[in-house]
Amino acid sequence: MDSNNLTVQQFNNEPVMSKRVAIIGAGIAGLACAYELQKAGHEVVVYEKNADVGGRMATRVKDGLEFNPGATFLSRHYHTLRDYSKEFGIEWAPLDAKRTHRVVRDGKAYPLGLKNPLEVLKLSVLSMSSRLRFLWFLLKLALQKVPGDFFDLSTTPDELDFDNASHHLREQVGDEVVDYIADPFTATLHFYLSDSVSTAMMLTLLKSMVGNSEFCAEYPQGGVQAIPNALAKTLIVIKNANVVSVTPAQAGVQVNVGGQFELFDAVVFACPAPAAKAMLAHPTQAQTELLASVSYGSTITLAFRVPVDLFADSTNCIYVPYVENKIISSCIFEKSKGPALVRDGKTLFNVYLHDQSAKELMGKSDAEVLATVLPELEKVCPELRDLLHKTALCTRGFELRNCPSPWPGGGWEGVDCRNTAKNLPHPSPPLARGGNKSEFRNSKTRETCDCIAPVHFHDIERWPHAMPKYLHGYVTKVKQFVQDRQGENGIYFIGDYMNSPWTEGAAQSGKRVAERIAHDLRSTTYDLQTESRS
């Protein structure tokens, strides 16, 4: 498209004068916004700083296994993402219906399920008195009309944003429910605790989740990144883009990309708030206050290749209460996703860190992260602990031994143990160096052989801005901005931190703001120009 010429197209049987819009960020929010604007007849350019699209909806294929370091599944009630998937022919499959969840208390695993309020009575991790208090709370909530949409928290009335979830729940149902249900549930999904969640978010989430048959995990063919990839193929996406600054100007909004200047009618920030804050020149007071109010929970995702029969039962997710472990927030056994996550008898076991521990480890090396995580992992997953502590013997009598640096640079070395009278479990785990097989080495003869090790370190991803925190008062602040200040000087903000939780909320945010931009642009009359400066 020649960006120097305005074109008139038809959209919804109305003439549309094509305008130029820049989207900063090719996550699901930015791609959805760009896709809808392009359908409305506008010229859209998406700038992405990374080499690939998707953001938290990323999928990496390594050693034949799909690793989703961010969003690891979708839900049947993600209607916007489901509609895009149907449009592009991406099929979703439900996770294994037999899968179960567990929560850890005092080093023991307890079953965890909450498909309907009455299942609270089966929560053996809680005392009976706590179960009854929790059941009464959920039954009252089920009978109440909780206004608002979880995926668009700006639709909730201000009076729902009256407290943080932790404080409110401790008053209503007690400390035990918060420590062993609310906090681990929040930390599994958001990596931080329920004191960083407002009552507006908590109440709308519980209302949308409990008893909702559509609240059911599913997995798209090709991984969660299949949807962003499909959207990106229809758009102009400039990857590895260095957006230096975005400056409102008299004739539009100027974007400096690596020293080259482009003029747009509107610019949409679809990136984390700190990145938007760094790029936006001359923000309004409202924009400054909005971006300054955003805070994020962090996590580090680690993936290990483990045997598909690691669990004797159908365990899928391990919820780890913060009162039990300050490092690990949850673990997910990926076998339930089907063939894409199973190869050569192995599947992935993903480990997610709590917000605070992730922040402390964010700048550490992979080896330092593993050195911290592995001992904690043994505490929360007995099956993995037993596997890690088994003496690994290959068919030629080589034993797997811990080297000082487990990963990377050293790995695990084998020594000849055929003359050992008794093979005792090692205090450190037999973690493989990499690949599907590990090298075992006879320390005397230097003879080597290949042997399949029980556990392999697979991959790691650091997420400094994993999930925004919806603190008490934050939902109301963003709601006011959306109503009164969104679009000032041609600048728009979208994504989960704009009261749009999770990937579905982010996609809805992009689609919703695209409609607003299209409306706003129809009322503008200034000429469109493109200028370049060195």
Side-chain angles (χ1 to χ4, degrees):
M1 180 183 295
D2 184 355
S3 59
N4 290 306
N5 296 316
L6 296 178
T7 60
V8 178
Q9 303 184 29
Q10 291 290 324
F11 182 68
N12 290 338
N13 297 320
E14 296 181 6
V16 176
M17 182 170 288
S18 177
K19 300 292 183 72
R20 297 190 80 215
V21 182
I23 311 288
I24 313 298
I28 190 60
L31 293 171
C33 186
Y35 184 68
E36 298 299 330
L37 283 169
Q38 183 169 273
K39 286 200 302 183
H42 298 291
E43 181 186 352
V44 186
V45 180
V46 182
Y47 295 102
E48 169 55 47
K49 72 171 185 176
N50 295 316
D52 213 344
V53 302
R56 284 189 295 108
M57 289 186 71
T59 303
R60 294 202 291 263
V61 179
K62 181 179 178 181
D63 296 322
L65 296 171
E66 292 179 359
F67 172 49
N68 301 282
T72 188
F73 65 88
L74 305 178
S75 176
R76 193 175 297 166
H77 74 308
Y78 288 11
H79 295 149
T80 301
L81 292 178
R82 182 174 288 280
D83 288 344
Y84 284 140
S85 296
K86 289 181 179 178
E87 184 176 347
F88 293 109
I90 301 170
E91 296 183 359
W92 294 17
L95 273 62
D96 186 353
K98 297 180 181 180
R99 75 190 191 285
T100 58
H101 305 314
R102 63 168 68 166
V103 61
V104 177
R105 182 169 187 174
D106 298 327
K108 298 179 181 179
Y110 293 84
L112 180 63
L114 200 59
K115 293 182 180 179
N116 62 72
L118 291 179
E119 286 196 351
V120 168
L121 297 176
K122 300 179 182 179
L123 295 178
S124 56
V125 70
L126 302 176
S127 65
M128 183 55 70
S129 61
S130 291
R131 289 182 236 178
L132 292 173
R133 290 183 69 182
F134 192 25
L135 174 61
W136 179 239
F137 174 82
L138 292 178
L139 289 175
K140 288 192 298 181
L141 182 65
L143 295 174
Q144 294 175 1
K145 183 178 180 181
V146 179
D149 179 0
F150 174 71
F151 295 126
D152 182 9
L153 294 174
S154 292
T155 61
T156 60
D158 294 348
E159 53 266 27
L160 276 188
D161 192 11
F162 60 84
D163 200 351
N164 74 64
S166 177
H167 182 260
H168 178 65
L169 285 174
R170 289 184 191 278
E171 288 185 336
Q172 296 295 314
V173 296
D175 293 343
E176 192 178 26
V177 174
V178 173
D179 290 342
Y180 290 97
I181 302 296
D183 273 353
F185 180 78
T186 305
T188 294
L189 296 174
H190 292 182
F191 317 113
Y192 46 76
L193 304 182
S194 58
D195 59 0
S196 294
V197 174
S198 74
T199 46
M201 183 182 192
M202 176 200 71
L203 292 173
T204 53
L205 173 58
L206 286 175
K207 189 71 174 182
S208 68
M209 181 184 73
V210 179
N212 182 0
S213 61
E214 283 197 326
F215 198 94
C216 180
E218 298 192 348
Y219 188 67
Q221 181 182 13
V224 294
Q225 192 171 339
I227 303 170
N229 284 346
L231 288 167
K233 287 179 181 178
T234 70
L235 301 165
I236 299 174
V237 180
I238 300 176
K239 302 174 184 178
N240 298 309
N242 176 26
V243 178
V244 179
S245 63
V246 174
T247 308
Q250 185 175 1
V253 184
Q254 190 179 74
V255 179
N256 177 355
V257 185
Q260 298 295 315
F261 292 83
E262 294 284 336
L263 194 65
F264 294 89
D265 292 283
V267 171
V268 182
F269 282 104
C271 53
K277 182 179 179 181
M279 285 183 273
L280 181 57
H282 312 304
T284 66
Q285 181 177 347
Q287 291 167 347
T288 299
E289 292 175 354
L290 169 73
L291 296 175
S293 69
V294 185
S295 58
Y296 285 89
S298 304
T299 195
I300 299 176
T301 309
L302 301 98
F304 301 89
R305 291 198 306 282
V306 299
V308 293
D309 59 355
L310 175 64
F311 294 101
D313 58 14
S314 54
T315 294
N316 171 232
C317 182
I318 302 175
Y319 293 77
V320 185
Y322 189 72
V323 293
E324 293 288 321
N325 195 289
K326 302 294 190 293
I327 305 297
I328 296 172
S329 68
S330 63
C331 308
I332 296 181
F333 186 54
E334 296 280 62
K335 175 185 174 182
S336 62
K337 290 179 180 175
L341 271 298
V342 176
R343 183 175 181 181
D344 297 331
K346 294 290 183 73
T347 189
L348 294 184
F349 186 83
N350 294 348
V351 179
Y352 303 84
L353 303 192
H354 278 295
D355 173 33
Q356 188 57 44
S357 64
K359 284 181 167 64
E360 294 171 358
L361 293 169
M362 195 64 64
K364 303 292 185 180
S365 67
D366 292 357
E368 290 173 311
V369 173
L370 280 165
T372 300
V373 171
L374 285 172
E376 304 302 321
L377 186 56
E378 294 184 16
K379 298 176 184 177
V380 302
C381 183
E383 292 88 350
L384 196 60
R385 178 188 63 222
D386 294 342
L387 187 64
L388 291 173
H389 278 261
K390 283 182 179 178
T391 301
L393 291 177
C394 72
T395 56
R396 296 172 61 186
F398 293 99
E399 182 181 13
L400 211 58
R401 172 178 288 179
N402 179 11
C403 285
S405 179
W407 181 273
W412 300 86
E413 184 180 82
V415 296
D416 190 352
C417 64
R418 282 172 289 189
N419 296 323
T420 303
K422 187 176 182 180
N423 293 318
L424 298 176
H426 282 298
S428 298
L431 190 65
R433 180 177 301 177
N436 285 325
K437 293 186 176 181
S438 302
E439 181 182 89
F440 290 73
R441 181 166 60 86
N442 185 314
S443 58
K444 295 181 180 179
T445 66
R446 322 307 289 181
E447 183 183 11
T448 63
C449 70
D450 288 334
C451 181
I452 297 177
V455 180
H456 300 253
F457 173 72
H458 183 77
D459 210 338
I460 187 170
E461 183 70 38
R462 293 164 174 81
W463 296 103
H465 306 120
M467 295 290 285
K469 295 183 177 181
Y470 302 89
L471 301 165
H472 172 216
Y474 178 79
V475 170
T476 301
K477 180 189 293 287
V478 173
K479 175 183 176 180
Q480 200 65 46
F481 179 89
V482 169
Q483 291 175 346
D484 301 335
R485 300 297 184 178
Q486 181 79 287
E488 278 190 318
N489 294 337
I491 302 296
Y492 298 81
F493 302 91
I494 61 175
D496 51 7
Y497 73 91
M498 294 302 294
N499 279 354
S500 303
W502 302 0
T503 52
E504 171 66 14
Q508 288 189 21
S509 170
K511 189 173 182 178
R512 188 167 54 247
V513 171
E515 294 175 356
R516 178 164 182 168
I517 293 171
H519 174 270
D520 292 348
L521 289 179
R522 282 197 291 270
S523 65
T524 61
T525 58
Y526 53 78
D527 293 332
L528 184 66
Q529 300 178 4
T530 301
E531 62 175 322
S532 296
R533 300 177 185 173
S534 57

